[in-house]
Amino acid sequence: MLKTPIASRPHDHSHCVHSALSEADALCARQGLRLTALRRRVLELVWQSHKPLGAYDILAVLSEQDGRRAAPPTVYRALDFLLENGLVHRISSLNAFIGCNHPEHAHQGQFLICRACHAAIELEQKSISDAIIASARDVGFVVEGQTVEVVGLCSGCQGA
Amino acid sequence: MLKTPIASRPHDHSHCVHSALSEADALCARQGLRLTALRRRVLELVWQSHKPLGAYDILAVLSEQDGRRAAPPTVYRALDFLLENGLVHRISSLNAFIGCNHPEHAHQGQFLICRACHAAIELEQKSISDAIIASARDVGFVVEGQTVEVVGLCSGCQGA
DNA sequence: CGAGAACGGGTAACATAATAACGTCTCTCA
DNA sequence: TGAGAGACGTTATTATGTTACCCGTTCTCG
């Protein structure tokens, strides 16, 4: 019955990052989008982190680690591009960003955020979004976008 | 089947505000909480607005209209109190606050936010929250808190 | 080719949101 | 009465996000 039982990412997931980047390359090429060096790097940073990353965290890495002269607009523009094209998601309850697990098709997932390890798991459960759409329709509201962010404990953190 | 088909509030809902304040008075009295003049005023402001209100909006009213000397902490402390005691909700996708429709019992609702008139409708649908809890359980995640914020068009704004 | 539009991105300043740290007053209650 | 707690004022600071402007590259089309 589970459509996509997406597990939390392994601790070392460099190959995941690599494949995500390749996928992004392909996707952008297909759609005539320009995944520039900066955008690609920001995507890589977001993907590398298993927990949602703030814009200013990214900014710090670009400045300190990459030596690139970066100011807020640099990061936000890259993030805007990645958001628009479904390569990352924004977690508004954290003011942070996370790589999208399914960039291949337009969607908006639900996010499970562990309050202990701060990792975020992306779900894409039709049952949730259908329940929301149905309840909204009952009061005459037409849904255009959903933000579902859940705080709790992931399986790995429940012992502690 | 609709448990609480909460309609959007009428344009003039001063009596709603009044009854909400009375309810808050009673609730705080019952629980030995101090609904001070400041806290009560902030609650009133939040309730008066049919759309979510930012902390700095509240701040502006307190300063300009009430003549009270207020700085951010003043407002945030009042909001913290109201949040803790379930009298208002925070809409994190808007960085804004809205009066709670059901302060009498602990809960966290779902919010339908109209992108045209910016009004917010609070739902409290078990079907939604159950769908979230079930999906989370499927990946071993224990839910402690939910943020469900939906953007779209309310019934009144769909013609335009 | 060459003018000009479109785009990416750097720079500065600003706007908004939230918190930290400290002081004072007042209320309560032992 | 006086010690402690709570509420709130005050100042400063941090965190997050946006605007306006400029410059160089690339793309496009006459």
Side-chain angles (χ1 to χ4, degrees), chain B residues 34 55-56 72-73 76-77 90 94-95 97:
Chain B
R34 296 172 57 182
Y56 281 71
Y76 281 104
R77 279 190 293 239
R90 181 169 197 282
L94 299 176
N95 290 331
F97 301 85

Side-chain angles (χ1 to χ4, degrees), chain B residues 69-120:
Chain B
R69 275 182 312 201
T74 300
V75 172
Y76 281 104
R77 279 190 293 239
L79 287 170
D80 284 344
F81 171 86
L82 298 172
L83 282 172
E84 273 167 22
N85 297 291
L87 295 166
V88 304
H89 290 288
R90 181 169 197 282
I91 311 285
S92 63
S93 62
L94 299 176
N95 290 331
F97 301 85
I98 188 164
C100 174
N101 280 312
H102 316 290
E104 63 280 1
H105 64 286
H107 74 285
Q108 39 190 69
Q110 299 98 26
F111 298 91
L112 308 180
I113 302 154
C114 180
R115 69 166 158 79
C117 69
H118 300 114

